[in-house]
Amino acid sequence: MILLKVMEDIGIIRVKIWQMTECIVNYDLKIFDDLDELSEFFSTELKKQVDSTDNKINLALSGGNTPKYIFKFLVEHFAKKISWDKINFFWGDERCVPPTDDDSNYKMAYENLLSKISVPGKNIFRIKGEEVPEGEAKRYSEVINKTLPQQNHLPVFDLIMLGIGEDGHTASIFPDQLHLLYESKICSVAVHPATTQKRITLTGKVINNARNIVFIVTGKNKSKIVDSILTYNIESKNYPATYIKPVAGNLIWLLDKEASSLLKGN
Ligand code: 6PG
């Protein structure tokens, strides 16, 4: 049974899929006409979250073209509106390359967001892609462990931004490395299946321990994978993103029209 409930005021669709008596899928979904509308929503929600507390927000960024657009939007429209010094910036994953490399997720975030807002360097916790991956995964795990509050014996991020690849990967958890979803480590080394590039990624357990997880997905090329994951069809079992289900937090999917075009009723 699929239950769809529309919260009319802000157009969020609440989706729950039940199997027998167990709710196996539970997420909120919001579809936008374009990336500007989506970015405006994300930026406003981020501002609300920062304003709602005196504490620092621990935010994990993702790489990819969609976040890049959002970072630029934040700089253009929210540079002066958000108290950036109240945000600690982490990354959900990093490619094992130096921070000067165009493949670096840190470089992308630095050039498009961090260098253009007023944020102290001590709030920026980058993954050192230039270091030996296994050692860096361990070091970054310790940094996260020391800096974030804990629940369920695991660190709790306030917000994790995620994208998905056309193969269903999220962060750097790829379909042939589903074990990274369940590892007890905070960060692990992953290998991109096509390029063999090493990555450092948060593991599934830490992602699922977050207070808020937001998937941000745009473009027609993602419509098939989005449909599969969000309707929990048979193929979805192969995709890491399917297993992102917060243990106690909120999961929201922000899509543009194109990424949502195969979803029923759209
Ligand atoms: C990475 C990313 C990755 C990304 C997706 C979506 O480092 O590869 O973190 O998981 O989020 O590939 O990227 P797009 O926004 O470019 O579609």
Side-chain angles (χ1 to χ4, degrees):
M1 177 183 119
I2 302 182
L3 175 80
L4 290 179
K5 188 181 160 218
V6 180
M7 295 156 73
E8 277 150 25
D9 51 339
I10 45 171
I12 289 180
I13 304 165
R14 181 147 294 170
V15 180
K16 286 176 193 274
I17 303 179
W18 298 78
Q19 210 164 55
M20 311 292 277
T21 55
E22 193 197 349
C23 179
I24 48 165
V25 176
N26 183 4
Y27 59 85
D28 288 348
L29 167 66
K30 192 162 165 63
I31 298 164
F32 299 88
D33 281 340
D34 56 41
L35 202 37
D36 274 339
E37 257 189 30
L38 188 158
S39 304
E40 173 81 40
F41 179 84
F42 176 84
S43 307
T44 307
E45 291 302 308
L46 179 63
K47 178 177 161 48
K48 275 192 214 158
Q49 203 171 334
V50 172
D51 290 346
S52 70
T53 174
D54 291 333
N55 298 327
K56 274 197 179 159
I57 296 290
N58 293 301
L59 165 66
L61 303 176
S62 76
N65 289 317
T66 317
K68 183 173 175 179
Y69 191 95
I70 296 172
F71 295 165
K72 288 183 171 176
F73 186 95
L74 278 164
V75 168
E76 203 176 323
H77 302 280
F78 282 77
K80 297 266 173 326
K81 293 187 188 156
I82 292 179
S83 309
W84 298 104
D85 57 334
K86 284 177 67 187
I87 303 180
N88 282 333
F89 292 91
F90 293 85
W91 276 261
D93 68 326
E94 182 58 280
R95 291 92 184 261
C96 293
V97 295
T100 46
D101 193 298
D102 283 344
D103 244 10
S104 163
N105 283 340
Y106 166 77
K107 182 181 184 201
M108 190 282 276
Y110 184 78
E111 286 181 347
N112 294 289
L113 175 68
L114 302 172
S115 62
K116 300 186 171 160
I117 53 172
S118 179
V119 59
K122 66 173 170 42
N123 290 22
I124 299 172
F125 298 85
R126 79 172 175 96
I127 302 174
K128 296 183 180 168
E130 69 276 29
E131 299 290 344
V132 176
E134 287 72 16
E136 177 57 13
K138 196 160 171 269
R139 184 200 69 85
Y140 202 60
S141 300
E142 282 158 13
V143 170
I144 291 173
N145 224 357
K146 267 204 317 239
T147 316
L148 270 60
Q150 305 267 323
Q151 217 165 17
N152 312 316
H153 307 290
L154 284 168
V156 186
F157 278 96
D158 293 294
L159 177 59
I160 299 184
M161 283 175 87
L162 293 174
I164 50 169
E166 282 174 63
D167 60 354
H169 83 261
T170 192
S172 280
I173 306 179
F174 295 94
D176 64 342
Q177 292 150 62
L178 288 177
H179 63 276
L180 295 176
L181 289 162
Y182 308 107
E183 269 193 2
S184 55
K185 292 177 191 165
I186 295 170
C187 295
S188 266
V189 178
V191 181
H192 190 291
T195 63
T196 71
Q197 180 189 57
K198 284 197 171 180
R199 307 277 187 100
I200 292 171
T201 186
L202 291 182
T203 59
K205 278 195 170 180
V206 178
I207 296 175
N208 283 331
N209 207 41
R211 287 181 51 222
N212 296 288
I213 300 172
V214 56
F215 273 103
I216 304 175
V217 190
T218 60
K220 191 107 197 134
N221 58 330
K222 303 284 175 69
S223 57
K224 195 163 179 285
I225 196 102
V226 162
D227 176 59
S228 174
I229 293 168
L230 293 188
T231 59
Y232 206 65
N233 74 14
I234 189 86
E235 286 157 31
S236 70
K237 300 216 166 19
N238 304 321
Y239 307 138
T242 304
Y243 301 92
I244 301 305
K245 297 176 184 179
V247 287
N250 308 306
L251 175 61
I252 184 162
W253 284 75
L254 307 182
L255 306 177
D256 71 348
K257 272 200 166 149
E258 293 188 329
S260 71
S261 58
L262 293 179
L263 288 172
K264 273 201 197 83
N266 201 42

